[in-house]
Amino acid sequence: MSDLLRGKLVVGNWKMNGGGAANAVLLAGVVAGWQARADREVVVCVPFPYLAQARDALAATPIAWGAQDVSGHAAGAHTGQVSAGMLAEFGCRYVLVGHSERRQECGETDAVVAAKAVAARREGLIPVVCVGETLAERDAGQWQAVVTRQVDAVVQRLGADSARAVLAYEPVWAIGTGRTATPQQAQEVHAHLRALLCSAGGPEVPMLYGGSVKAANAGALFAQADVDGALVGGASLDAAEFLAIAGA
Ligand code: PEP
């Protein structure tokens, strides 16, 4: 993971988008347009039914792939859920955990998110743990308390294994809204989280920024000392735009 701290990690989140034919075009575009670089890791996180398509299209390429969610349970009576063991057996390397859309739409609590991160690590997956405050929380001056609580919940459960996780700061007000945090706002939060992990004797983990990242703003975000890459939603559905971000 320390390698990722020396370069940039760019993770695409397709969300609930795609279809066999469109995915084939998108994946082919990403493969054709990307050359391996030692200072970059590029990942796409796709809906469960398309994991096989991503695996086949990205085999023997420098592009990694992953899922958008995982169960906190290992196995059993959890209809509709997918375990970390299943994802690992399938060949997944990354999995998003605690995306704000899941926290909001599926009621995922900090404890549930932490359980998912633990389940992912138990099977050797790299959880990309998403945290971030809402606009109301930012306006109320609560961003520090919110992201601290969200990160603490996961780090306390993961312990030293946090070193094999990735953090993604995604202010909820910037996701899919076209309103990006300024590079300074992103840096301020990332520096806070870095200091938080350091003071707890925790490891240095890669910290991604997510929220309306585009080719036009990626360079300025990546220039910040504590921004180690990006989690990219909408723009990851356009191969040229996604790769322009990855190369920024
Ligand atoms: C996301 O889905 O994680 C995200 C950051 O979305 P967008 O880039 O569309 O804001």
Side-chain angles (χ1 to χ4, degrees):
M1 192 61 54
S2 55
D3 288 354
L4 295 177
L5 283 164
R6 283 193 287 275
K8 301 291 181 207
L9 169 64
V10 176
V11 180
N13 172 19
W14 287 7
K15 310 193 191 218
M16 198 175 71
N17 292 297
N23 299 345
V25 173
L26 177 53
L27 289 165
V30 171
V31 169
W34 186 247
Q35 306 244 315
R37 279 176 57 170
D39 65 344
R40 290 287 190 276
E41 167 104 334
V42 178
V43 183
V44 292
C45 290
V46 308
F48 290 130
Y50 303 130
L51 284 171
Q53 189 179 21
R55 178 186 61 184
D56 294 348
L58 301 175
T61 77
I63 298 157
W65 49 279
Q68 299 174 6
D69 185 36
V70 64
S71 177
H73 303 286
H78 307 289
T79 303
Q81 299 193 39
V82 175
S83 75
M86 294 171 186
L87 293 178
E89 182 181 45
F90 201 70
C92 262
R93 183 158 150 73
Y94 289 88
V95 63
L96 304 183
V97 167
H99 192 282
S100 64
E101 287 153 13
R102 293 203 56 87
R103 290 182 192 256
Q104 288 181 333
E105 295 177 14
C106 306
E108 289 188 5
T109 61
D110 292 337
V112 167
V113 173
K116 290 180 175 213
V118 168
R121 281 305 309 137
R122 199 181 296 126
E123 297 295 339
L125 301 172
I126 299 175
V128 179
V129 179
C130 305
V131 303
E133 80 285 0
T134 63
L135 186 57
E137 289 163 341
R138 176 157 280 263
D139 287 347
Q142 293 169 346
W143 69 259
Q144 279 195 335
V146 172
V147 298
T148 299
R149 189 200 73 225
Q150 292 173 331
V151 170
D152 266 348
V154 173
V155 170
Q156 279 179 20
R157 288 283 317 273
L158 278 182
D161 218 18
S162 302
R164 300 295 302 168
V166 171
L167 269 186
Y169 168 57
E170 297 208 303
V172 178
W173 46 272
I175 297 180
T177 59
R179 186 179 157 184
T180 321
T182 64
Q184 293 71 29
Q185 283 173 319
Q187 170 59 25
E188 184 182 29
V189 179
H190 285 220
H192 166 73
L193 293 176
R194 190 87 76 204
L196 180 75
L197 290 176
C198 247
S199 69
E204 278 227 63
V205 302
M207 282 186 205
L208 314 184
Y209 167 78
S212 299
V213 176
K214 307 181 246 331
N217 57 28
L221 287 159
F222 289 177
Q224 302 303 308
D226 292 299
V227 176
D228 302 314
L231 180 52
V232 184
S236 70
L237 299 173
D238 178 319
E241 182 76 8
F242 182 55
L243 293 181
I245 294 168

